[in-house]
Amino acid sequence: MTTLAVVILTYNEERHIVRALDSIAAIATQIFVIDSFSTDRTVEIARARGATVLQHAFVNQARQLQWALEHASVTTDWVMRLDADEVVEPALAAEIAAKLPNLPPEITGINLRRRHIFLGRWIRHGGRYPLILLRLWRRGQARVEDRWMDEHMTLTNGRAVLFDAPFTDDNLGDLTAFTAKHNAYATREAVDVLARRYGLAAAEPQHLASRQAAFKRAVKERVYNRLPFPIAALGYFLFRYICQFGFLDGREGLIYHGLQGFWYRFLVGAKLQEFDRVLRDLPTPEDRRAMLARLSGLPL
């Protein structure tokens, strides 16, 4: 019998956690909820539904997940990462149950298709479906990149295959929560770019199991980040909304692509410029790291 552990990171997720846990109940042998000291009923709900809850202070997604992989008592053959606001659809649960036991040893990872729901609508266009991500791996055969944003799981051995059925990202928060979250994301992404620009972070080999993710990162780092940010952000939005048919996603799509495809990218660029103006004249990497920590509020 092939066994599966699911790891979910949480902070005040009582609105989402039941839905996530119910969606994996039929396929998960172990469930670990790694909680960042929630002040709502997240921990109570998770424990009541049979999850093992571990609490650890949050720094960023990457380090929290890596801590989970190193400290949770995972004994299963396979491990899956799931966000609290995500759902494993019944078709995917059935596919995992049917295919996982029959995979040959050289297959150590599973790429999954993510579909995004925004304001109740599935965002099908603008290059947003499917987003292909490594979310399932053989225990001990993957690690998470040490990045402030856009961290991916990377395989240490073997190769990945792609399953057909999607999982769903359906956050029930409102636009205020969406924009607040993306404001924080913009700071983290700006820090990632500057940390690499000034050699403040150790370079990591990038062997992403998702070819789509690897391609997008290469384009962002080699092309997008080298353009003036107002031009880059506007060009990216127009490419998504027109060339990739984002306009077919209706009014909700206009809001989503406008906020996530233009406003967010513009905000990242603006923060990059703001931080870089301060960092560029500092004499040493240590001075730059300390200043970037002060500007961003992140524990660098």
Side-chain angles (χ1 to χ4, degrees):
M1 178 179 176
T2 300
T3 53
L4 172 66
V6 180
V7 177
I8 305 174
L9 308 185
T10 60
Y11 177 70
N12 288 349
E13 291 287 359
E14 65 178 8
R15 190 175 189 181
H16 297 114
I17 192 65
V18 170
R19 190 183 63 181
L21 293 173
D22 285 351
S23 77
I24 57 173
I27 57 172
T29 312
Q30 294 178 296
I31 300 174
F32 294 94
V33 169
I34 313 302
D35 184 73
S36 306
F37 298 98
S38 290
T39 58
D40 65 1
R41 296 178 59 246
T42 299
V43 169
E44 175 189 344
I45 293 168
R47 286 178 174 154
R49 290 186 172 259
T52 299
V53 178
L54 304 176
Q55 291 189 300
H56 183 252
F58 184 86
V59 176
N60 59 37
Q61 289 280 113
R63 295 180 189 176
Q64 192 78 337
L65 181 57
Q66 190 61 38
W67 184 91
L69 299 180
E70 294 170 359
H71 292 85
S73 300
V74 177
T75 60
T76 55
D77 304 308
W78 291 82
V79 182
M80 182 180 190
R81 172 186 179 178
L82 188 72
D83 291 347
D85 59 358
E86 294 173 343
V87 176
V88 173
E89 299 294 347
L92 177 58
E95 186 174 10
I96 290 171
K99 291 183 177 179
L100 218 57
N102 301 312
L103 293 173
E106 66 269 20
I107 302 301
T108 56
I110 311 296
N111 286 321
L112 299 179
R113 306 170 192 265
R114 188 183 79 176
R115 68 175 194 141
H116 188 78
I117 307 296
F118 180 77
L119 298 181
R121 180 169 185 147
W122 177 7
I123 304 299
R124 296 171 179 257
H125 304 95
R128 305 308 290 172
Y129 183 79
L131 293 181
I132 297 173
L133 305 168
L134 181 71
R135 287 301 191 91
L136 257 166
W137 60 90
R138 290 191 191 271
R139 178 167 56 95
Q141 301 300 308
R143 65 180 301 278
V144 62
E145 297 177 298
D146 187 13
R147 300 173 68 99
W148 284 97
M149 267 299 294
D150 194 32
E151 77 286 345
H152 289 272
M153 297 303 304
T154 61
L155 293 176
T156 55
N157 292 289
R159 62 184 180 89
V161 294
L162 176 64
F163 278 6
D164 296 320
F167 69 100
T168 298
D169 178 340
D170 184 9
N171 191 290
L172 301 175
D174 59 15
L175 285 175
T176 298
F178 180 90
T179 52
K181 180 170 67 174
H182 280 75
N183 182 39
Y185 287 171
T187 299
R188 291 168 182 265
E189 186 166 342
V191 166
D192 257 341
V193 172
L194 291 170
R196 284 161 176 77
R197 179 179 297 174
Y198 288 111
L200 307 180
E204 288 187 284
Q206 297 181 2
H207 302 300
L208 301 187
S210 166
R211 292 182 180 179
Q212 181 196 70
F215 175 76
K216 287 184 175 182
R217 178 173 293 173
V219 171
K220 180 187 289 187
E221 293 181 351
R222 298 174 188 176
V223 180
Y224 182 92
N225 287 345
R226 298 182 182 183
L227 296 172
F229 78 87
I231 295 173
L234 180 59
Y236 178 60
F237 166 71
L238 292 175
F239 176 71
R240 272 175 55 165
Y241 196 68
I242 298 174
C243 300
Q244 294 186 303
F245 305 107
F247 61 88
L248 294 178
D249 290 317
R251 182 174 297 177
E252 295 83 2
L254 175 59
I255 297 169
Y256 177 76
H257 295 299
L259 288 175
Q260 206 272 340
F262 176 69
W263 171 79
Y264 171 68
R265 299 302 335 156
F266 192 93
L267 186 60
V268 171
K271 291 193 178 197
L272 263 170
Q273 179 174 285
E274 178 187 33
F275 295 166
D276 193 39
R277 281 178 175 171
V278 179
L279 298 184
R280 66 178 61 156
D281 294 328
L282 296 178
T284 69
E286 290 74 21
D287 291 333
R288 286 173 175 152
R289 182 179 291 106
M291 179 57 71
L292 189 56
R294 186 178 73 80
L295 292 170
S296 66
L298 299 176
L300 305 181

